[in-house]
Amino acid sequence: MEIALGSLRLPKPENVFVNSTNMKHMLQWNPISPDGHINGSISYSVQFQGEFERIHLENTWRKIFECTNITVNQCNVTVDIASDVEYDLKVQAHLGIMTSEWAFINKLFSRQDTILTTPTLTVKVSENQLRVKVAEVEKNIEAHIYYWKDIADPQVNNVTIDQTKNPYNLDIEKGVTYCFQAQTYIFKYNKSSPRSKPVCKLVKNPTPYEILITVTIVLLLGTAIIMVFLVLTWKRCQWIKSSLFPKISIPSVSSFDDFPPNGMKRVDKSNEDYDLVQVFTQSELLLNGYPARDSMPVQTGPLKIEEKTNHSTGQDSRSSNCVVSGNASQWPDSMEILCCKAYQSQAVSI
């Protein structure tokens, strides 16, 4: 299989076929083996043609962009083969400006020819359930799961799952061994796979340590829930109480201990300044040389008090005499008080 340099042609790929298992379609071919005339990396491009392209589009071909200038010798065409019609596929080799002729599959391919392989079954224990998963369950593939208890006369149960129910959860009993088998199928093609080998799983009884931990966790959670409930109930009661019976603040009152036993606080008045007042009748005023009330001048302005300092006592002393005239029995209408300041030359009628 020589390269014709003048025609710039590579040898075409050989043994082109579609390997389809479990609705996954892979186009494969034998890679071109390098020899003395081939130097460099060879790439490949793939195109397909469906029934629509053959009949309605005059045998046109469509590129598979994910499989253009690839360096591996296979291409996933699952997305492009999207219906149950027959497809034709071809592949071409490239090296620089050199290309090969197109290499075709031996016969048209239909995805109904896919092969269902023996399913892969996994079983895991999850708390009080067994999780059963079938790896081959896809969009168009469903599975039958057969399960039974590993006892002398088991009863085989059957459940059907699709992509939305995979994995399947099964409620179980503690201390029992369960066995499982799976079988995939495509209903519209009436096609099924062989059954898988049985997978058995023992569901162990909980150990005393696990029981103790479980009981402790349950008690702690129960206690926490009760405490939260009590706190919320107490706060609710306090809120209702404060709403119905609002708290009234009492004004602050000085302690009665501050008052003396007789109820009055004694004040030292020994150093208090005061004026000397003498009460006279009208006749006594005349005998003492004071003029009659009508002839006494009256000072209407404020008295000016002249303060004299007693240097021996350190206190202010004021010299004043007040005289009250009138009949004491007729007080206060016919009696008047005359205050005479020793340092002033006139008396003031008050």
Side-chain angles (χ1 to χ4, degrees), residues 31 33 48 54 72 87 156 164 185 210 220 228 232 234 245 286 329 331 335:
S33 300
F48 77 96
R54 282 194 304 272
V72 294
Y87 287 83
V156 179
T164 62
Y185 71 96
E210 292 174 340
L220 290 176
V228 171
L232 293 178
W234 179 79
F245 308 101
L286 297 175
S329 62
W331 177 270
M335 183 176 289

Side-chain angles (χ1 to χ4, degrees), residues 26 49 108 110 294 313 315:
M26 299 292 296
Q49 183 187 78
L108 298 180
S110 172
D294 295 336
T313 60
Q315 297 180 347

Side-chain angles (χ1 to χ4, degrees), residues 129-148:
Q129 290 184 331
L130 283 173
R131 296 171 62 86
V132 185
K133 184 175 182 180
V134 182
E136 288 74 16
V137 171
E138 299 290 345
K139 181 179 179 180
N140 298 312
I141 301 177
E142 297 180 352
H144 295 297
I145 296 178
Y146 305 92
Y147 64 94
W148 61 92

Side-chain angles (χ1 to χ4, degrees), residues 177-242:
T177 300
Y178 290 86
C179 296
F180 298 87
Q181 271 187 316
Q183 182 183 34
T184 56
Y185 71 96
I186 302 176
F187 179 76
K188 64 180 180 178
Y189 300 159
N190 194 24
K191 182 176 288 190
S192 60
S193 73
R195 287 195 185 187
S196 65
K197 292 182 179 181
V199 177
C200 297
K201 201 77 173 179
L202 172 62
V203 182
K204 297 180 181 180
N205 286 317
T207 64
Y209 178 72
E210 292 174 340
I211 295 176
L212 179 61
I213 291 178
T214 303
V215 172
T216 303
I217 292 175
V218 171
L219 290 176
L220 290 176
L221 288 176
T223 304
I225 292 172
I226 292 174
M227 293 297 294
V228 171
F229 175 76
L230 292 176
V231 170
L232 293 178
T233 303
W234 179 79
K235 287 188 176 181
R236 183 68 176 176
C237 292
Q238 291 295 108
W239 179 80
I240 294 174
K241 181 180 178 181
S242 61

